[in-house]
Amino acid sequence: MKRAYLSLILCCITLMPLMAQEEDMVFPAGLRFLDYNNNLPDNLLHTKSVVFVDVPVKSGTSLRGDWQALAKEGHRAFKNAGIDAVAYYNLGDVEAGKDASIKLAEELKSRQIENIILLSQVQLRIAGKDAERFAILITDFNEESSFISHGQEAYKEVAKDTEKLFKQFDRDIRKSGMTSQNHLIADQPEFFTGAGNIVKGRRAQGFAQDLKLDKLAVPQFEEATIPDSRPGGNANKNLEKEIVKNNKNVKRNNLTLKEIMNDYPYEYALVDPSTEEDKIRQDGYQFILLRLNTTGENIKEMLGYEVDPSETDYVTLHQNGGNIKMRHIPAKAPVYKYYIKHIYTGDVYLGNPWDADESWEEALANYIGNMKKDLNIGR
């Protein structure tokens, strides 16, 4: 399925073979070949920027690390430099799903965002030893749901700790000779949960009866492309290797997707993930299967559920034949959640009960199993 792919490559960094230098790092720009340099964007100090933050999970858990602490440290450096960083997002929320990326891109356009700053903490291995690096990447916002395009120029800086990172960044700002025209920069960073509620139409915590009549479009997982003309450099060479590995996983995922969908009770077809929804509808599909992948509490916010801040765990119910299994998953842990959208109206069918799970395979099986139970199929 199509996603923004701003951070997928970060999942591979910790699995990479040793790298002799930080410059060999694949930067957290997802599957995008960028023209890395030390040149800051000309408009950086007189336009608005957005910051996407990514940090490793907490040790021994699947929970997010303290990304807001890194954001606060970064905001002090950006404010001192004269950068108007008006919004901070966790990278996991930015690329949570297709609808989330589209809505967020629209919001950033409406706020006249010109630049994207990626602030990341990366764990990797160098010379056979565990290591940690902090990185800043600054590039143009392409005003699309992909956020960044192949071939864009991108400022980069990498260091072993944040003190060295922001000192070098400050030197680069001073060296640029640019003067800030941003005079109303907030003292503290403002945090957002992705695009917020992404439901455009009605929401139903159930299933659409019309699925009995209308064929469901199921986007396949999407292979990343390697453009014929692309920038050079070690980071891009390493990225090419990771794309090859990623695409092998995509092929396996699509085979698994087909196997799980064989349990879907009505008519469906796998479709090209790059096809626009209007074209899918013209091809005869009224409904499309979509998913989100971020923390459970943020998925609930994105899909319009009532969120109780006192809840620390969510209970996922899994249908296994005639048996029901309960799984307690921390609200702040990343999960997958499937839903079906009526393409024309934007109405969404979330299923009932809550069925998000820690893998996309389990989440999809849960959704289909609960659908069959709800519609009294196979009983």
Side-chain angles (χ1 to χ4, degrees):
M1 295 183 181
K2 186 176 181 181
R3 294 182 61 186
Y5 287 127
L6 280 174
S7 70
L8 176 58
I9 204 65
L10 287 176
C11 299
C12 304
I13 286 177
T14 56
L15 302 178
M16 278 185 166
L18 66 90
M19 299 175 183
Q21 306 174 42
E22 300 91 277
E23 287 76 9
D24 292 341
M25 239 175 74
V26 176
F27 281 83
L31 305 185
R32 297 284 181 267
F33 293 89
L34 301 182
D35 183 7
Y36 296 106
N37 55 53
N38 293 320
N39 300 323
L40 292 157
D42 293 337
N43 62 358
L44 183 62
L45 300 188
H46 59 84
T47 58
K48 297 177 183 177
S49 298
V50 64
V51 184
F52 299 155
V53 185
D54 193 83
V55 300
V57 298
K58 293 180 179 178
S59 178
T61 76
S62 63
L63 302 178
R64 286 178 176 173
D66 191 356
W67 68 278
Q68 292 191 1
L70 180 59
K72 290 175 183 177
E73 193 172 355
H75 188 74
R76 288 193 292 271
F78 300 147
K79 177 179 170 62
N80 289 338
I83 298 172
D84 191 10
V86 298
Y88 287 75
Y89 298 85
N90 186 285
L91 207 44
D93 294 333
V94 171
E95 59 168 5
K98 180 179 178 180
D99 281 352
S101 295
I102 290 173
K103 185 178 179 186
L104 179 56
E106 291 171 350
E107 290 182 359
L108 297 183
K109 284 173 63 177
S110 70
R111 296 191 67 177
Q112 299 180 315
I113 300 296
E114 295 286 340
N115 293 295
I116 290 176
I117 301 174
L118 294 173
L119 180 60
S120 64
Q121 176 186 0
V122 179
Q123 293 175 341
L124 67 163
R125 291 184 67 80
I126 298 178
K129 297 180 180 180
D130 291 336
E132 184 175 64
R133 294 292 183 268
F134 293 85
I136 295 175
L137 183 150
I138 306 178
T139 190
D140 296 337
F141 169 41
N142 67 3
E143 298 192 345
E144 298 176 3
S145 60
S146 60
F147 302 101
I148 297 173
S149 302
H150 288 304
Q152 286 186 196
E153 286 196 8
Y155 165 88
K156 67 174 177 68
E157 190 58 60
V158 184
K160 294 180 180 180
D161 56 54
T162 53
E163 182 180 1
K164 292 178 181 177
L165 179 71
F166 294 127
K167 278 186 177 179
Q168 182 57 51
F169 178 66
D170 180 66
R171 285 194 289 268
D172 290 341
I173 287 284
R174 295 175 185 277
K175 190 191 307 181
S176 73
M178 294 188 294
T179 302
S180 177
Q181 298 176 33
N182 296 321
H183 304 300
L184 296 174
I185 302 174
D187 291 331
Q188 298 295 326
E190 189 171 4
F191 299 110
F192 294 86
T193 303
N197 192 324
I198 62 174
V199 178
K200 291 185 177 180
R202 297 176 300 173
R203 62 183 298 279
Q205 289 183 219
F207 302 93
Q209 295 290 332
D210 286 349
L211 289 168
K212 299 176 182 178
L213 307 174
D214 296 315
K215 188 161 62 171
L216 175 68
V218 180
Q220 299 185 78
F221 290 85
E222 184 174 22
E223 291 191 5
T225 58
I226 300 177
D228 293 332
S229 178
R230 54 188 180 276
N234 288 329
N236 287 318
K237 289 179 181 178
N238 285 317
L239 175 56
E240 186 172 343
K241 295 175 184 177
E242 293 306 319
I243 285 179
V244 172
K245 288 195 287 187
N246 172 75
N247 287 346
K248 290 180 180 178
N249 290 332
V250 167
K251 291 177 181 178
R252 285 193 291 268
N253 285 342
N254 281 330
L255 290 174
T256 303
L257 175 64
K258 187 175 182 180
E259 290 175 4
I260 297 174
M261 287 304 301
N262 285 336
D263 203 35
Y264 178 73
Y266 303 125
E267 189 177 5
Y268 78 94
L270 301 178
V271 299
D272 185 334
S274 65
T275 305
E276 296 294 330
E277 289 184 4
D278 286 345
K279 178 63 169 61
I280 290 175
R281 183 167 171 265
Q282 291 172 12
D283 291 341
Y285 301 90
Q286 299 302 313
F287 295 91
I288 185 169
L289 179 71
L290 297 171
R291 70 172 182 179
L292 290 173
N293 174 212
T294 184
T295 65
E297 64 180 3
N298 288 355
I299 287 177
K300 285 200 169 188
E301 182 176 335
M302 290 178 183
L303 293 178
Y305 287 87
E306 184 174 341
V307 177
D308 182 352
S310 67
E311 284 188 282
T312 58
D313 288 7
Y314 297 143
V315 178
T316 287
L317 297 182
H318 171 64
Q319 302 290 334
N320 185 11
N323 301 319
I324 298 178
K325 293 185 177 181
M326 299 175 60
R327 178 176 292 177
H328 292 260
I329 302 174
K332 295 185 181 298
V335 292
Y336 295 83
K337 173 77 180 87
Y338 278 88
Y339 62 101
I340 288 175
K341 183 174 73 174
H342 188 261
I343 296 174
Y344 180 71
T345 63
D347 296 346
V348 298
Y349 299 88
L350 307 175
N352 190 47
W354 177 254
D355 53 18
D357 219 320
E358 293 171 304
S359 74
W360 71 265
E361 298 95 332
E362 292 171 306
L364 179 55
N366 293 345
Y367 186 85
I368 294 174
N370 289 332
M371 171 189 287
K372 293 171 73 173
K373 180 178 183 295
D374 186 79
L375 300 176
N376 293 314
I377 298 171
R379 300 183 65 185

